Amino acid sequence: MSTLFQSLRDRAGWMRERREGEDDKVAFPELFFDLVFVFSLIQLSHTLAGHYSLMGALEALLMILAVWWVWIFTTWVTNWLDPDRMPVRAMLFALMFGALLLSTAINDAFGDKALLFAISYVAMQVGRSLFTVYAMHGHSPDNARDFLRITCWLILSGVFWIAGALIGGEAQLFIWIAALTIEYVSPAVGFRVPGLGRSEFDDWDVLGAHMAERCALFVLICLGETILVTGRTLAEMEVTPLVFVLAVSSFGSTVTMWWIYFRFGQERAAAQIESDESPGEAARTIFTYAHIPVVAGIILCAVADEFVLAHPHGAIDLKTASAIIGGPIVFLAGNVWIKSSVAPRLSVSHLAGIGLLVLAAPLAFVVEPHVLLIISFIILVIVAVWEYLTLKSVR
């Protein structure tokens, strides 16, 4: 017990060592923390697939942005605090339980479980930030002040989250959009708070390798969710030549997205942060914002796989066509954003892939769903091969 109290008093020991090497590595408590987000992503894809309409897509996008914001803010915190320290580890476990409650509410977040979603979300966001202020107080006063500013913004947005859940109805969506807008705008304005000023991202000491690895692991979780969707759907189907071809296309698309993201983008992002004169600002752009379309695109691809595997024949409806074409487009757009932030050359292959997908969209009127899925897979392969042949000589 005395050891625990000593650990609580010795807050300086909660901090990560700010040097290159093993201290950049992701710790096992962080990997354990990520497990609950596997469930979150499954809930998100199922909710989107089950309520695929303009309003359903907007609600699902809001859920995706909220889940991502919880996760990426925690990643920023563990970039400074050491998850191998018992108090920090306990904080992560508490966040895991909050994320579990949050995830269980996703499928009915605009219904009976709105308040559970809102309370879980606000408790995680505000609680984690207050913990970080306490952890850094007296040891890193500038960072403590930064997180105090962040806490103020999260409390403000929290009022909107709770109010939206209590009011419900049609107003809930718009109040929650306002809440998310507050949170997503706050980093862009430096978390400015009257009396506390604003944060200067030039002063944020970021471990680039750690941030890059954390985001890469989240992308892996998203890609794994597409495999789960494919496997679960195939397990309920009779094996035929068409089903085998669709399995190849679905799995091949997942592998190709892995290749596009990891082969030339992820490592360069880490290197860019480490060498950048303003690592905090670069990390904010590349990891906080630019990864959002990558994650959203993968989730949309999982929904497309579920649609096509369940109904491979017949006319293509709007929701299936938009998922098949839109998923890869959003994914490639996110990769363009990331790669253009870390390299001066334009990702011509990715832009060409987006163009080919747009040109392929009218085929939805004349082909069956399984054909359009195969075409989107072929286009992703073209992008991957094109980029590899173009850049392999540079490495």
Side-chain angles (χ1 to χ4, degrees):
M1 186 64 69
S2 61
T3 303
L4 175 61
F5 285 127
Q6 178 63 32
S7 177
L8 290 173
R9 288 194 298 267
D10 185 22
R11 284 172 286 173
W14 300 2
M15 307 297 291
R16 278 184 182 267
E17 295 290 337
R18 313 307 288 177
R19 64 173 185 265
E20 300 299 320
E22 291 300 317
D23 298 298
D24 286 358
K25 298 299 182 181
V26 174
F28 285 117
E30 293 174 277
L31 298 176
F32 187 50
F33 170 76
D34 287 349
L35 289 179
V36 73
F37 287 90
V38 175
F39 178 52
S40 300
L41 292 170
I42 291 173
Q43 290 286 84
L44 286 169
S45 64
H46 285 184
T47 300
L48 180 56
H51 304 86
Y52 200 97
S53 62
L54 182 59
M55 184 60 68
L58 185 58
E59 291 176 354
L61 177 61
L62 190 147
M63 297 291 99
I64 291 171
L65 293 175
V67 168
W68 170 256
W69 216 235
V70 164
W71 185 88
I72 193 64
F73 264 44
T74 304
T75 296
W76 275 93
V77 166
T78 55
N79 198 257
W80 279 285
L81 302 184
D82 187 353
D84 285 329
R85 300 300 181 183
M86 186 58 69
V88 181
R89 187 178 297 177
M91 181 267 293
L92 284 178
F93 294 163
L95 290 176
M96 281 184 70
F97 181 70
L100 180 62
L101 295 178
L102 183 83
S103 301
T104 61
I106 284 175
N107 62 351
D108 200 19
F110 290 88
D112 294 338
K113 295 183 178 178
L115 193 58
L116 175 60
F117 184 94
I119 291 176
S120 300
Y121 181 86
V122 174
M124 292 173 68
Q125 292 288 72
V126 175
R128 182 196 52 242
S129 295
L130 286 174
F131 176 89
T132 308
V133 172
Y134 175 78
M136 292 182 169
H137 180 71
H139 173 70
S140 180
D142 289 339
N143 282 334
R145 192 176 301 110
D146 286 336
F147 277 94
L148 183 59
R149 298 184 184 106
I150 292 172
T151 303
C152 292
W153 280 84
L154 292 176
I155 291 174
L156 174 62
S157 68
V159 173
F160 285 82
W161 283 109
I162 302 298
L166 292 174
I167 293 172
E170 296 180 356
Q172 179 185 339
L173 175 63
F174 298 101
I175 296 174
W176 279 9
I177 289 175
L180 265 184
T181 300
I182 290 171
E183 294 191 25
Y184 271 76
V185 167
S186 59
V189 298
F191 302 104
R192 183 185 293 276
V193 174
L196 293 175
R198 60 168 290 160
S199 298
E200 297 297 334
F201 282 94
D202 290 348
D203 300 329
W204 284 46
D205 182 18
V206 178
L207 294 174
H210 174 262
M211 290 291 292
E213 188 176 355
R214 293 296 292 125
C215 288
L217 289 168
F218 196 86
V219 171
L220 279 178
I221 293 173
C222 294
L223 292 172
E225 207 278 327
T226 66
I227 295 176
L228 289 176
V229 168
T230 302
R232 185 185 65 251
T233 307
L234 288 174
E236 300 173 355
M237 300 175 67
E238 181 182 353
V239 179
T240 65
L242 176 59
V243 169
F244 179 78
V245 171
L246 290 177
V248 171
S249 298
S250 178
F251 179 73
S253 294
T254 302
V255 172
T256 307
M257 286 190 290
W258 178 91
W259 180 275
I260 290 172
Y261 174 81
F262 282 93
R263 185 66 177 89
F264 292 105
Q266 192 265 344
E267 289 184 4
R268 291 186 175 184
Q272 173 68 19
I273 301 301
E274 295 293 349
S275 61
D276 200 282
E277 295 181 357
S278 179
E281 185 174 355
R284 179 187 61 181
T285 299
I286 296 170
F287 299 120
T288 303
Y289 291 121
H291 272 72
I292 295 171
V294 173
V295 170
I298 295 172
I299 293 174
L300 194 53
C301 286
V303 172
D305 291 342
E306 187 169 350
F307 285 160
V308 176
L309 289 169
H311 303 286
H313 296 293
I316 303 179
D317 54 23
L318 179 60
K319 70 176 186 179
T320 302
S322 62
I324 294 173
I325 298 297
I329 286 178
V330 175
F331 172 78
L332 290 175
N335 278 274
V336 169
W337 190 355
I338 292 171
K339 293 176 183 180
S340 63
S341 299
V342 301
R345 65 166 50 85
L346 197 62
S347 300
V348 177
S349 61
H350 293 39
L351 296 175
I354 292 173
L356 288 173
L357 287 162
V358 171
L359 292 175
L363 293 176
F365 295 104
V366 296
V367 301
E368 294 188 324
H370 70 275
V371 176
L372 193 62
L373 184 69
I374 293 171
I375 290 172
S376 71
F377 165 52
I378 293 172
I379 291 174
L380 284 175
V381 171
I382 290 172
V383 172
V385 173
W386 185 341
E387 182 183 43
Y388 174 73
L389 294 176
T390 303
L391 298 181
K392 69 175 183 177
S393 60
V394 179
R395 293 177 67 85

